[in-house]
Amino acid sequence: MPAYCTICSSGVTPSTPHLKCSVCNKYYHIKCYTEDVPDAYSDASWVCKACSLSNALSTPITLSAIENIIEKQFLKFKADIMIEMSQIIDSKLVLVNNRMSEIENNMHRLQTEINEIRESAPNNEATNNIDDVAREICDRNERSKNVILYNIPESVANSVEVKVMDDLKQVVSIVEPLGKFPKPKKIFRLGIPKPNAPRPLKMVFEDCEEAQLYLRSNKTNPNKKFHFRADLTRLQRAKNYAVIEEINLRKSRGESDLRLIYNNNVAQITRANKGRRSQHLN
């Protein structure tokens, strides 16, 4: 009896590559059968997809079979979960390391400030008190957001609001040619008004970075009449005044090659030798 392909209904001959299901005894041309065909098969063992599906549906599903299926799926997703967890942990470790580095830098900065404060007044017992040191550090941190501007003419307006606006306009006119600068959140004059002597102008910013923009502008500002300065604490000012008095005294005694420089707002005396770099003397 002739055999026919279940899919295309054309004849199946021994010379035509074909498959025969061992369950339903139906024939399939290999070229017609769209499912995967094993590399090695025989008519006695091969089962078509329809019979395989029918057999699977008729087979009772046991608890053990369900557990096996769940275990296989879990193992598949477990690997993916472990990879994602590893990536999350790595990213968190990077953040922790960065934070630790930041904390170490802050500790080093604070220790430097503590040493500087103690050296500023070595004979002052009160300064060596930890409470005084802590207050000085807090004062410096708070003042790091401030900038002092000198030689700015004072407004003659009667209204305080108008005076503040006039002062702000002068500040903007100074920095506007240098680039984009943030406006201070607060601005006011220091001290008591005096004739023909404008009071210093204090500007308060959101953070120290904004204040640093103004301080760094001194290097590029062509108008040397107006100079932005840091807001120093009482102890910092006292140390700088002492250095200024020392250099004036030494110059009066004949040391003419001395000059005063400021390094991070700290006054220092240097001696400029010909052909050599300046040497720090204090």
Side-chain angles (χ1 to χ4, degrees):
M1 183 178 178
Y4 298 93
C5 176
T6 304
I7 297 175
C8 70
S9 300
S10 60
V12 175
T13 63
S15 62
T16 305
H18 65 276
L19 297 166
K20 180 183 178 182
C21 178
S22 61
V23 177
C24 64
N25 294 320
K26 291 181 180 180
Y27 290 85
Y28 297 87
H29 286 134
I30 290 181
K31 66 178 182 179
C32 297
Y33 196 77
T34 57
E35 305 299 327
D36 292 336
V37 179
D39 294 333
Y41 62 89
S42 66
D43 291 346
S45 62
W46 184 78
V47 180
C48 68
K49 183 179 179 182
C51 292
S52 297
L53 181 60
S54 176
N55 181 62
L57 292 175
S58 63
T59 302
I61 299 178
T62 63
L63 180 61
S64 176
I66 295 175
E67 291 177 346
N68 289 335
I69 293 174
I70 294 175
E71 183 178 1
K72 290 180 180 179
Q73 293 297 322
F74 174 75
L75 291 176
K76 177 180 180 300
F77 289 110
K78 180 181 178 182
D80 296 337
I81 293 173
M82 292 300 294
I83 293 174
E84 292 183 5
M85 288 296 295
S86 177
Q87 293 174 346
I88 293 174
I89 291 172
D90 289 343
S91 63
K92 293 298 183 182
L93 284 175
V94 171
L95 293 176
V96 170
N97 289 334
N98 291 340
R99 183 58 179 162
M100 289 296 295
S101 178
E102 181 181 345
I103 292 173
E104 289 177 357
N105 292 335
N106 288 337
M107 290 180 62
H108 177 72
R109 178 179 59 80
L110 289 174
Q111 186 61 54
T112 301
E113 290 184 357
I114 291 172
N115 294 338
E116 179 186 334
I117 292 169
R118 285 175 171 167
E119 291 174 0
S120 298
N123 297 323
N124 187 348
E125 294 181 358
T127 306
N128 289 322
N129 184 282
I130 188 64
D131 292 335
D132 293 329
V133 173
R135 279 193 291 269
E136 176 68 16
I137 291 175
C138 290
D139 194 14
R140 291 190 184 189
N141 288 335
E142 188 63 28
R143 289 173 182 265
S144 67
K145 304 175 185 178
N146 306 337
V147 174
I148 310 296
L149 180 57
Y150 295 88
N151 301 323
I152 292 293
E154 293 196 46
S155 173
V156 295
N158 294 324
S159 170
V160 175
E161 291 78 7
V162 175
K163 288 183 178 181
V164 171
M165 291 301 299
D166 289 343
D167 286 340
L168 184 58
K169 288 178 182 178
Q170 292 190 83
V171 173
V172 172
S173 67
I174 294 173
V175 298
E176 193 172 32
L178 306 178
K180 188 175 181 180
F181 285 75
K183 290 184 179 180
K185 67 176 184 179
K186 189 185 299 184
I187 187 170
F188 53 90
R189 295 281 178 169
L190 299 175
I192 301 175
K194 296 180 180 179
N196 303 321
R199 292 171 295 169
L201 187 65
K202 183 171 181 176
M203 298 179 291
V204 181
F205 295 90
E206 289 291 343
D207 52 52
C208 61
E209 292 299 325
E210 291 186 354
Q212 285 298 318
L213 288 176
Y214 279 79
L215 296 176
R216 288 195 293 266
S217 71
N218 289 324
K219 297 180 180 180
T220 56
N221 185 8
N223 192 347
K224 301 304 180 182
K225 178 181 178 182
F226 305 112
H227 195 78
F228 298 103
R229 295 189 182 275
D231 186 15
L232 303 182
T233 66
R234 179 190 59 81
L235 187 60
Q236 287 176 310
R237 293 195 301 271
K239 182 177 180 180
N240 286 348
Y241 291 151
V243 174
I244 293 173
E245 290 180 356
E246 179 185 349
I247 193 173
N248 290 335
L249 177 62
R250 292 170 63 175
K251 283 184 175 181
S252 67
R253 293 175 177 175
E255 295 185 66
S256 58
D257 59 345
L258 301 180
R259 67 189 185 99
L260 187 69
I261 65 170
Y262 287 87
N263 185 15
N264 292 328
N265 305 314
V266 177
Q268 295 178 332
I269 301 174
T270 66
R271 173 174 289 136
N273 295 330
K274 294 182 179 180
R276 298 181 181 178
R277 298 178 62 183
S278 299
Q279 298 176 346
H280 293 288
L281 302 180
N282 68 329

